[in-house]
Amino acid sequence: MSNYKLGVEVLSAHDLMPKDGQGSASPSVELHFDGQKFRTTIKEKDLNPVWNERFYFNISDPASLPDLALEAFVYNINKATHSRSFLGKVRIAGTSFVPFSDAVVMHYPLDKRGIFSRVKGEIGLKVFLTNDPSIRPSNPLPAIDPFPNNPPPRQTHPVQVLNTNPNPPPEHKSESRHTFHTIPKEVHQHHATAPVSEPVRYVSDQMKPEPPPTRMVRMYSSASSQQPVDYALKETSPFLGGGQIVGGRVIRAEKPASTYDLVEQMQYLFVRVVKARDLPAMDVTGSLDPYVEVRVGNYRGITKHFEKKQNPEWNEVFAFSRDRMQSSILEVVVKDKDLVKDDFVGFIRFDLNDVPTRVPPDSPLAPEWYRLEDKKGDKKKGELMLAVWIGTQADEAFPDAWHSDAAAPVDASVVNSHIRSKVYHAPRLWYVYVNIIEAQDIIIADKTRYPDVFVKAQIGNQLSRTRIAQARTFNPLWNEELMFVAAEPFEDHLILSVEDRVGPNKDEVIGRVVIPLGSIEKRADDRMIYGRWFSLEKPVAVDVDQIKKEKFSSRIHLRVCLDGGYHVLDESTHYSSDLRPTARQLWKPSIGLLELGILNAEGLHPMKTRDGKGTSDTYCVAKYGQKWVRSRTIINSLSPKYNEQYTWEVFDPATVLTVGVFDNCQLGEKGPNGNRDAKIGKVRIRLSTLETGRVYTHSYPLLVLHPSGVKKMGELHLAIRFSSTSLINMMYIYSRPLLPKMHYIRPLTVRQLDMLRHQAVQMVAARLSRMEPPLRKEVVEYMSDVDSHLWSMRRSKANFFRLMSVVSGLFAAGKWFGNVCAWKNPITTVLVHILFLILVCFPELILPTIFLYMFLIGLWNYRYRPRYPPHMNTKISHAEAVHPDELDEEFDTFPTSRGADLVRMRYDRLRSVAGRIQTVVGDVATQGERIQALLSWRDPRATAIFVLFCLVAALVLYVTPFQVLAALAGFYIMRHPRFRHRMPSAPVNFFRRLPARTDSML
C-alpha cells in the first residue's frame, strides 16, 4: 500500500464568476492533499476553461486515508500585480476515493469560503487511487513566489476527455443534468474564518445550514433527488478482516481473509467455567452454595449459584473485550452464597500475557483442572475446571458468552436473557383454504320457522363468516370460499360453527365441528380438492339423557386444504425479502449468497437517562427471508461497536434486506413507552441494485418520521456483499414471474391480501416473542412495515409527485417536439424533417433506429450509473415540508383517537383531495367513452360523419402509397407557425363534441 498514490485529473470549469473587472477571469486550480500542493496552468480570459491536466500525490500513511481530504481551490490570477482572488473551492473526503477502474468524472459546484462570498460555477475532477509503480508523484509547488509568470514544471499526462462537450448550452444542461450529494466524513460545524493558508479549517463549510450543502456529482438520471447533506449516504473505507475496502474493492489484505472478513476483528478474553469438585464446606451444616466470580480489572462476571452442592457444574462462558481491559491479571474466585456477606472459598490467578490465542477453525481449547488458592497464595481444598484463551467474535463460544461490553447495573439473569446475539427462524406459513358448500338436516329449537343460517369459521384469533343462506331451508347452501393463515407447528384448530340468526344481534349456535390443522390435506397446485361431510356436534349439553334420546344427525359439506402453492405475504409487498412458495418441493436452488457485516453505529440519539446522562442500550435486527438475526445489546453507549457478520442464501435478487436499530428497554429502566423496545431507525437495501462481488461499506443515516417532523437518530455502518453462484441462473430469474404460479392462476383479491398479511404479521410476531430472548412484537411490526397501507396525506403527495416524475420524460419529449413544430430552432427542425422523410421512405428502419437509439442511451448512461445503493430520501418521501397537522394525522391511531372537530376538518380535507382525484379519473373515462361513441351511433350525426370519413380514407389509402400520406401528415404537423391558427383543429373539435356517459351520472 505504500506505493499507492492519489491521482487527480483537473478537466474543466464552467460558468465561473468574473473577477478582473472586464467581465472575465484568468483561472487556475490549486490542489491540496496531505501537505502537498499542485497548481494547474493559468487560462487567460476564460470563464469556461479546459485544463485536462493530471497530478499524482504521495499517500504517506494509507491507514489515515479516510481521515484525509483533497481540496481544490480555484483562483483568478492577476499576473500584473501577482495577486489572486478566490473563485470557489471543492473538498472531497478521503472516504470517497476509489480505484482507477471505478473512477468517473465528477462535476462539483464550487463552494463559498465564507458567508458573504460570491461564488458560482462548477469544476470537473476525476479522483482515483493507483498503485502503478511506473507513476512518479508530481513536482510540488515552490515555497517562494506563489504566482510566477511561468508556472513551475510538473509531470502531466495526456487525459482522455470523456465529456466531448464540456460547455453545453445552459438550456440543455438544465433539462438533462441532475445531481446527488457526496458527503465528507467530518460532520463538525465551525465558522469559516481561517486564512487560505489553512485549508483544513474548511472541513465543515459544507455542513452549514445556510446555504444548502453542494457536494454534488453530475448525474443524468432523475432518480437522484437532492436532500440535506446530513441525510445522505456516506461511503467509507474501513479496515475489515479481509483488508481495507476502497470503492468496494479490497486493495490491501493484511492477512488471509477469514469467515468474518466483512467486520473488524475484535479481541476477546474468553473464560469457560466448567465445573468444580471437592469444594470445602463453609456453612455450619457442612455444605455450601457455590458460585464463581470472574474479574478483570473493573469488569466482573458471575455464574449462577447452586444450593448445597460441593461438585457443581456451570459450563458458562465469559468474554472480556481486550480494548476495554485496564488490568493484566485475570482472577477467578469461588464464593459461597450467603444472606449477609458471601464467603470466600478460593481463587485462581492468570497473567494475561501467558494466555494462549485460539483462531478458528482450531479445535476448542481443552479445559483444565486448577487447584484453588487462598488469599495468601497457598493451595487449599477444591479444584476448578477452566479453559482460558484469547479469541475473536468468530469464536463459536462468542454468541452464548456473557460480554463485558454488555455489563449493566441490573440483575445478571435479566441481562443474560436479553443481551445475547441470536438467530431466529420465522415459522413457515400456510394459507388455509376453506370452501363451505352446504349443510343438511339443520335442527333448531323453534320448529315453526325456517332458520337464517350462516357459518362462522375460526383459527386462533382469525374469524370469518359466510353470508346468511339465501334460501330459507333446513338444507342451506352457501358455496363460499374463506382464507386463513396458519403457522407450523400447527397449534390451533379450524373451528366451524353453524349459527342461526334469531334476532337483531342475537345468534344461536346450531352445531360445531373442530378440524385439527395437522389432519388437513396439503396441495401445491390448483388441483381440485374433494369435498367431505363432517358431522356437527352440539356445543352445549345441559341434559345428557335428553341428547341421547334426540338423534343429532346434522352435517356440513366442506372442501379444506393447506395451500402451499402461494407465498404467504407477511411483509409489505414493496419490501419483500422472500418470494418462494410455502411448499418446499417448489423451491428452486439458491442463486447467490448475501453477507452482512454490522460494524457500528455513531451519533445515536439518547433514548433513556441513566446516572443523569442520556444513553442508549442498542441492538440491531436484520431480516431477510425466514431468517431474522439480532445482534448483542451494547449497554450505555451512543457509539456502539457490534462487528457481527451474518449470511443468507438468496433465491431472488428482487428482494430487500432490512436492518433496524432498537433501544433495549428490558434491562430494568423503562423508557417513555414503558418496556416497549424503542425504534431508532432502519435501513432497506434492495439486492438487485448491488453489483455482485462488490463490498459496499457505507454509513447509513437512521431517519425516522416523528410527530414533529423527520429526525436523524444517528448513523449505522454496514458492510454488504452479494455473491452470485451462477450468472446464468441469475439472468434466468429475470425471465420468471415474481410470485409463485398460484398467485396468477388463482389470484387473491386485494382485500384478502391485506387481511391475510395482517394476520401473518401478528402470527410471526407471536411466535418470535416466545423465543429466548424474545423478539418483541413492536420490533417485528416495525421491520415488517405493518402500517404501510394506512392513509397518509404525505405519502399521497409523494406518490403523486413520483407519478409526475415518471411522466416528466413524456412531457419533455412533447415540449421538444412542440419547439420543433414551432420552428424555435430552424436547424433542428430541418434535421428532424430530413430524418422524418428518411424514416417515411424506409419504414423498415423505424424500429431498428429506435432500438439503436436506446442502446446508445444505455451506453452513455453507464458512465453515470449509481455507485451507491439507494437509501431513504426525505425529498422523495415529502418528509421535510410536511404540515404538522398532516403528521399528526399520520401518527393517529386507527380508529382515530382525536376530537370530533379535528376529525371533521380532516374529513373535509380528504373529501377535497378525493374530489380532485375523482375529477381526473372521470376525465380519463370520458376520453375513452368518446372513442367508443365514434361507432356506437349515440350521436347519429357524428357517427355518420365518422363512418363516411372511414369510407373515404379507405379509398384514398387503397390508391395512394402509404409513404406519401405519412409524409404529408408529418409535414402538416411540423408546418411553420405562419401556417398555423390559434384555434383548435377540426379533428380535435369533432372529438370534443362526442357524447360520453357523464350525461347519465346522478
Side-chain angles (χ1 to χ4, degrees):
M1 183 66 188
S2 59
N3 294 326
Y4 269 84
K5 299 176 182 64
L6 178 69
V8 181
E9 291 183 13
V10 183
L11 282 86
S12 61
H14 173 67
D15 196 23
L16 298 179
M17 177 73 70
K19 284 288 185 177
D20 60 357
Q22 302 176 7
S24 186
S26 301
S28 175
V29 181
E30 191 172 294
L31 304 173
H32 295 199
F33 177 77
D34 198 12
Q36 306 163 64
K37 298 181 182 181
F38 301 129
R39 188 184 300 124
T40 66
T41 55
I42 301 172
K43 298 296 181 179
E44 297 286 345
K45 305 292 184 181
D46 194 351
L47 296 180
N48 300 292
V50 177
W51 288 283
N52 287 337
E53 298 179 20
R54 181 182 294 182
F55 305 90
Y56 290 98
F57 294 87
N58 273 326
I59 300 178
S60 57
D61 183 11
S64 63
L65 187 61
D67 300 321
L68 300 176
L70 169 70
E71 292 183 303
F73 296 87
V74 185
Y75 295 106
N76 171 59
I77 307 300
N78 190 330
K79 291 185 177 181
T81 60
H82 288 192
S83 62
R84 65 180 181 181
S85 52
F86 183 76
L87 294 177
K89 70 182 183 69
V90 167
R91 186 179 185 280
I92 305 172
T95 54
S96 62
F97 298 161
V98 297
F100 181 78
S101 58
D102 292 331
V104 294
V105 178
M106 295 184 174
H107 294 263
Y108 300 89
L110 294 173
D111 285 349
K112 296 180 179 181
R113 183 169 54 185
I115 298 177
F116 302 104
S117 302
R118 291 190 61 198
V119 168
K120 70 173 184 175
E122 60 185 10
I123 184 171
L125 301 174
K126 182 177 181 180
V127 184
F128 55 89
L129 295 171
T130 180
N131 60 351
D132 189 348
S134 63
I135 296 177
R136 297 181 178 274
S138 305
N139 295 328
L141 291 177
I144 59 173
D145 192 10
F147 304 106
N149 291 329
N150 296 319
R154 63 186 163 269
Q155 180 179 353
T156 59
H157 299 264
V159 178
Q160 180 182 1
V161 182
L162 299 180
N163 187 358
T164 57
N165 186 10
N167 304 311
E171 61 272 11
H172 293 171
K173 290 180 61 177
S174 62
E175 293 176 4
S176 62
R177 188 177 74 247
H178 300 268
T179 57
F180 72 86
H181 297 274
T182 58
I183 316 301
K185 182 175 181 180
E186 298 81 352
V187 293
H188 309 290
Q189 192 167 353
H190 304 280
H191 292 286
T193 58
V196 179
S197 59
E198 298 181 9
V200 73
R201 297 294 183 91
Y202 302 143
V203 186
S204 59
D205 284 357
Q206 51 271 36
M207 302 305 297
K208 297 178 181 178
E210 293 293 336
T214 53
R215 288 278 178 255
M216 302 180 184
V217 177
R218 179 178 295 173
M219 293 294 290
Y220 290 83
S221 169
S222 60
S224 55
S225 297
Q226 302 178 22
Q227 65 173 346
V229 66
D230 202 32
Y231 294 169
L233 215 56
K234 300 179 183 178
E235 185 173 18
T236 62
S237 301
F239 283 90
L240 305 181
Q244 187 184 15
I245 309 299
V246 176
R249 305 287 185 264
V250 180
I251 64 173
R252 185 184 72 168
E254 296 179 340
K255 50 189 173 182
S258 64
T259 54
Y260 280 68
D261 61 341
L262 290 186
V263 292
E264 299 177 12
Q265 290 194 359
M266 304 174 67
Q267 293 282 326
Y268 286 89
L269 169 67
F270 289 95
V271 181
R272 181 184 295 276
V273 182
V274 184
K275 56 185 176 180
R277 66 185 179 187
D278 301 332
L279 295 178
M282 302 297 293
D283 297 337
V284 179
T285 58
S287 64
L288 81 162
D289 304 330
Y291 71 91
V292 176
E293 181 180 289
V294 183
R295 295 187 302 210
V296 180
N298 295 329
Y299 293 103
R300 181 182 66 170
I302 301 175
T303 68
K304 60 184 178 181
H305 79 278
F306 292 93
E307 294 186 0
K308 299 180 180 181
K309 194 169 186 179
Q310 292 177 284
N311 298 295
E313 293 187 11
W314 293 281
N315 200 24
E316 295 185 26
V317 182
F318 301 87
F320 298 87
S321 174
R322 292 294 300 271
D323 294 339
R324 300 189 178 188
M325 286 186 188
Q326 298 178 352
S327 174
S328 61
I329 301 298
L330 165 67
E331 293 183 349
V332 183
V333 186
V334 181
K335 292 186 177 182
D336 175 32
K337 190 77 173 177
D338 208 342
L339 293 177
V340 181
K341 183 179 180 181
D342 297 342
D343 297 326
F344 174 84
V345 178
F347 79 112
I348 304 168
R349 284 192 174 190
F350 294 89
D351 188 342
L352 297 185
N353 296 322
D354 299 331
V355 175
T357 299
R358 174 183 175 260
V359 179
D362 291 350
S363 299
L365 195 67
E368 182 178 350
W369 286 104
Y370 293 91
R371 188 75 175 268
L372 295 179
E373 300 178 358
D374 57 18
K375 294 183 179 180
K376 297 180 180 180
D378 299 330
K379 301 293 183 182
K380 63 180 302 184
K381 183 181 179 182
E383 292 180 298
L384 187 63
M385 179 179 280
L386 299 172
V388 183
W389 72 96
I390 301 292
T392 66
Q393 71 268 40
D395 200 294
E396 59 267 18
F398 180 80
D400 295 324
W402 174 94
H403 294 278
S404 61
D405 56 4
V410 292
D411 182 52
S413 61
V414 175
V415 171
N416 288 335
S417 63
H418 289 93
I419 66 172
R420 292 177 175 173
S421 59
K422 290 294 179 183
V423 175
Y424 306 82
H425 281 276
R428 188 156 64 130
L429 302 177
W430 293 78
Y431 282 146
V432 182
Y433 169 81
V434 183
N435 183 13
I436 302 173
I437 305 174
E438 59 180 332
Q440 285 186 352
D441 302 331
I442 295 298
I443 299 175
I444 59 175
D446 187 359
K447 306 292 186 182
T448 62
R449 68 178 185 89
Y450 287 106
D452 294 327
V453 187
F454 65 92
V455 179
K456 184 187 295 182
Q458 183 174 3
I459 298 179
N461 61 353
Q462 303 175 70
L463 184 65
S464 187
R465 65 175 64 191
T466 67
R467 66 181 187 278
I468 295 177
Q470 294 181 350
R472 302 187 66 189
T473 175
F474 292 104
N475 298 309
L477 176 67
W478 298 280
N479 197 23
E480 289 193 32
E481 297 178 351
L482 306 177
M483 295 287 285
F484 301 92
V485 180
E488 290 184 346
F490 302 120
E491 298 176 347
D492 298 316
H493 301 308
L494 171 62
I495 303 174
L496 297 167
S497 59
V498 181
E499 302 186 12
D500 177 25
R501 178 66 53 84
V502 296
N505 300 323
K506 185 178 180 182
D507 303 323
E508 288 185 357
V509 179
I510 298 174
R512 184 177 67 174
V513 59
V514 178
I515 306 174
L517 293 179
S519 64
I520 296 178
E521 182 182 1
K522 298 178 181 179
R523 71 174 178 181
D525 50 21
D526 61 336
R527 62 183 175 85
M528 178 61 69
I529 298 296
Y530 295 103
R532 290 176 55 192
W533 287 95
F534 294 87
S535 298
L536 294 176
E537 299 176 357
K538 200 71 174 176
V540 180
V542 179
D543 189 345
V544 178
D545 296 332
Q546 182 179 356
I547 291 179
K548 289 181 179 179
K549 294 177 184 177
E550 181 181 355
K551 185 179 180 182
F552 192 75
S553 59
S554 301
R555 59 179 186 169
I556 188 170
H557 191 197
L558 305 172
R559 291 193 184 99
V560 185
C561 73
L562 293 171
D563 255 328
Y566 292 94
H567 168 70
V568 180
L569 296 167
D570 60 337
E571 49 196 342
S572 174
T573 52
H574 301 293
Y575 312 124
S576 294
S577 61
D578 189 11
L579 301 170
R580 294 174 295 171
T582 303
R584 293 184 184 275
Q585 61 267 31
L586 299 179
W587 291 4
K588 304 295 183 183
S590 65
I591 61 168
L593 192 69
L594 172 64
E595 299 168 273
L596 169 68
I598 305 175
L599 302 179
N600 56 64
E602 294 180 354
L604 294 181
H605 186 76
M607 304 299 292
K608 59 170 67 81
T609 302
R610 183 179 293 143
D611 298 331
K613 295 181 180 180
T615 186
S616 294
D617 308 324
T618 58
Y619 64 92
C620 297
V621 175
K623 178 193 184 307
Y624 186 77
Q626 291 183 316
K627 180 179 175 181
W628 297 62
V629 299
R630 169 179 175 159
S631 74
R632 69 190 190 282
T633 300
I634 306 298
I635 307 295
N636 281 342
S637 178
L638 297 179
S639 299
K641 292 185 177 181
Y642 305 100
N643 284 310
E644 299 182 21
Q645 185 169 340
Y646 302 94
T647 60
W648 289 267
E649 281 189 308
V650 177
F651 296 88
D652 197 311
T655 47
V656 176
L657 166 71
T658 305
V659 185
V661 184
F662 301 89
D663 179 59
N664 198 331
C665 295
Q666 315 304 315
L667 306 180
E669 306 96 337
K670 292 185 178 180
N673 298 321
N675 65 342
R676 290 168 55 91
D677 288 352
K679 58 187 180 184
I680 296 179
K682 63 183 172 185
V683 174
R684 299 191 200 99
I685 298 158
R686 184 171 293 274
L687 268 59
S688 60
T689 64
L690 304 179
E691 299 177 15
T692 55
R694 178 175 178 176
V695 180
Y696 290 85
T697 53
H698 291 86
S699 184
Y700 296 82
L702 299 172
L703 305 178
V704 176
L705 194 65
H706 288 276
S708 58
V710 66
K711 188 173 183 179
K712 180 180 177 181
M713 305 295 290
E715 295 184 358
L716 180 63
H717 195 189
L718 302 176
I720 302 167
R721 178 169 56 208
F722 173 40
S723 306
S724 173
T725 55
S726 172
L727 181 61
I728 297 177
N729 290 343
M730 175 81 71
M731 296 303 180
Y732 175 71
I733 287 292
Y734 279 87
S735 67
R736 303 297 301 160
L738 196 63
L739 292 170
K741 180 180 178 181
M742 284 290 289
H743 286 270
Y744 303 100
I745 59 177
R746 293 176 62 94
L748 303 176
T749 64
V750 175
R751 183 182 178 187
Q752 277 182 311
L753 288 175
D754 287 342
M755 179 190 68
L756 293 173
R757 176 179 172 248
H758 175 74
Q759 296 296 341
V761 172
Q762 299 304 316
M763 196 164 295
V764 171
R767 288 293 179 89
L768 295 181
S769 64
R770 289 162 50 183
M771 299 182 181
E772 186 64 32
L775 205 58
R776 297 178 59 83
K777 179 181 178 181
E778 59 268 20
V779 174
V780 177
E781 290 183 346
Y782 180 62
M783 297 288 288
S784 302
D785 292 286
V786 70
D787 296 329
S788 62
H789 64 287
L790 295 180
W791 158 260
S792 165
M793 180 70 77
R794 175 189 60 84
R795 274 196 291 260
S796 299
K797 289 181 180 178
N799 288 335
F800 172 76
F801 285 105
R802 285 174 55 207
L803 180 62
M804 295 303 296
S805 176
V806 169
V807 300
S808 63
L810 297 177
F811 294 155
K815 182 180 178 181
W816 173 84
F817 188 70
N819 291 335
V820 168
C821 296
W823 289 72
K824 290 291 183 65
N825 189 334
I827 298 177
T828 303
T829 304
V830 170
L831 293 177
V832 170
H833 277 75
I834 295 174
L835 176 63
F836 172 72
L837 195 59
I838 294 174
L839 294 179
V840 167
C841 296
F842 305 97
E844 65 275 7
L845 297 180
I846 295 177
L847 287 179
T849 302
I850 293 175
F851 284 109
L852 180 61
Y853 181 65
M854 290 191 292
F855 169 76
L856 295 176
I857 291 178
L859 288 184
W860 178 259
N861 287 340
Y862 180 77
R863 299 168 52 198
Y864 310 106
R865 66 193 185 279
R867 306 300 299 175
Y868 300 160
H871 185 55
M872 296 178 186
N873 192 300
T874 55
K875 289 284 188 182
I876 295 176
S877 305
H878 256 259
E880 291 181 325
V882 62
H883 193 274
D885 181 68
E886 295 176 2
L887 278 176
D888 183 72
E889 181 184 21
E890 185 169 344
F891 283 92
D892 190 9
T893 57
F894 186 83
T896 181
S897 59
R898 300 296 187 264
D901 293 338
L902 187 59
V903 172
R904 183 181 296 110
M905 183 272 292
R906 290 175 179 171
Y907 174 63
D908 290 339
R909 181 176 61 194
L910 182 60
R911 289 172 63 192
S912 175
V913 174
R916 291 195 293 269
I917 297 175
Q918 168 185 291
T919 302
V920 173
V921 173
D923 290 343
V924 174
T926 297
Q927 309 310 317
E929 290 168 352
R930 284 173 175 169
I931 295 176
Q932 293 178 337
L934 286 171
L935 296 172
S936 66
W937 295 92
R938 168 59 67 184
D939 184 341
R941 286 165 295 278
T943 303
I945 293 172
F946 183 71
V947 169
L948 184 61
F949 167 78
C950 291
L951 176 62
V952 174
L955 296 175
V956 172
L957 291 174
Y958 183 76
V959 298
T960 308
F962 174 77
Q963 289 88 340
V964 174
L965 292 175
L968 292 176
F971 286 136
Y972 175 78
I973 293 173
M974 295 184 290
R975 66 193 183 279
H976 197 275
R978 70 177 60 181
F979 302 113
R980 295 178 181 273
H981 301 283
R982 294 182 179 272
M983 303 301 292
S985 62
V988 173
N989 295 332
F990 177 80
F991 183 76
R992 288 176 178 174
R993 291 174 178 276
L994 292 171
R997 294 185 179 181
T998 51
D999 303 334
S1000 303
M1001 296 283 291
L1002 289 176

